[in-house]
Amino acid sequence: MNEFTSQKAWAIASHNAGKIKEIRELIAPYGLTADGADRLGLPEPEETENTFIGNAKLKAIAGAKASGRVALADDSGLEVFALDGAPGIYSARWAGEPRNFYAAMDRVRAELDAINATDRSARFVCALALAHPGGAVRVYEGEVRGRLEFPPRGANGFGYDPIFVPDGHDLTFGEMDPSAKHAMSHRAHAFKLLVQDIFEG
């Protein structure tokens, strides 16, 4: 047991219901429970860093300080290679307020069409940061590569999932059974590194 696993109730420093659900399902096999930022009344810090890892650390540290719990934060997004990595760390912001990812997906398509891009390759990136209220912080980053297909397909998942088809597959993340997505997603890859470090290290 280490300082992170000695607490069985973690905080998830996110207000995104989809992310909270996925993270809860990932940590449940390790005997851990978690509450999201909304339930714990955690503030949503401004994401001022210019990398996924930087923003994940910022959110995890703020969550641990505010809750007194081990806090797990995720910063993730879609990088489209023909758009020089956009929307990247601004993936959620492309959806506006209130979040409308169908509008964001329309914008991705419009920007690809505007430059007559035939390259529809993309990747999802996920940075996970785990912060202890005592100050320790660990970070992990994972990715999954694939291609974009329009129009959006499927009602599972969240965010840009309905337009992303992972390499070697024909279904979008939005069409896949959640367990199939969890097995290969960018978040799953980052979480595998966390497990190896925190639970198996």
Side-chain angles (χ1 to χ4, degrees):
M1 184 176 293
N2 56 50
E3 59 192 331
F4 294 100
T5 57
S6 62
Q7 284 195 13
K8 297 303 181 185
W10 286 5
I12 302 173
S14 175
H15 290 78
N16 182 313
K19 286 184 182 181
I20 292 168
K21 182 175 185 292
E22 278 196 9
I23 291 170
R24 274 190 180 137
E25 290 170 356
L26 286 168
I27 68 174
Y30 300 94
L32 300 172
T33 61
D35 292 305
D38 283 348
R39 183 174 294 180
L40 294 172
L42 303 182
E44 190 164 12
E46 185 178 355
E47 297 178 15
T48 54
E49 299 295 324
N50 59 8
T51 64
F52 291 112
I53 285 178
N55 282 323
K57 284 178 66 176
L58 183 154
K59 290 185 283 189
I61 291 168
K65 286 181 178 177
S67 68
R69 297 186 186 188
V70 170
L72 181 62
D74 159 298
D75 198 59
S76 55
L78 177 71
E79 294 185 342
V80 182
F81 297 116
L83 300 180
D84 297 322
I89 61 169
Y90 304 108
S91 293
R93 278 170 255 187
W94 272 34
E97 291 293 347
R99 300 278 163 86
N100 182 345
F101 278 97
Y102 282 93
M105 289 184 276
D106 284 344
R107 180 176 172 185
V108 171
R109 183 175 193 170
E111 298 212 6
L112 287 169
D113 289 347
I115 59 172
N116 297 312
T118 55
D119 177 11
R120 297 296 172 97
S121 60
R123 69 173 186 159
F124 271 126
V125 180
C126 172
L128 290 177
L130 192 63
H132 190 278
V137 181
R138 309 263 181 106
V139 293
Y140 316 90
E141 190 170 63
E143 69 166 42
V144 59
R145 294 189 176 230
R147 67 187 185 277
L148 304 182
E149 291 192 359
F150 300 93
R153 306 194 313 262
N156 293 331
F158 60 96
Y160 297 89
D161 284 355
I163 59 172
F164 186 84
V165 179
D167 286 345
H169 296 266
D170 297 315
L171 298 178
T172 68
F173 271 172
E175 294 174 299
M176 284 185 182
D177 182 271
S179 62
K181 176 193 170 182
H182 290 344
M184 72 179 80
S185 76
H186 49 310
R187 193 162 290 109
H189 288 172
F191 192 74
K192 183 177 180 180
L193 297 175
L194 182 154
V195 166
Q196 291 170 347
D197 183 34
I198 299 299
F199 298 105
E200 298 174 358

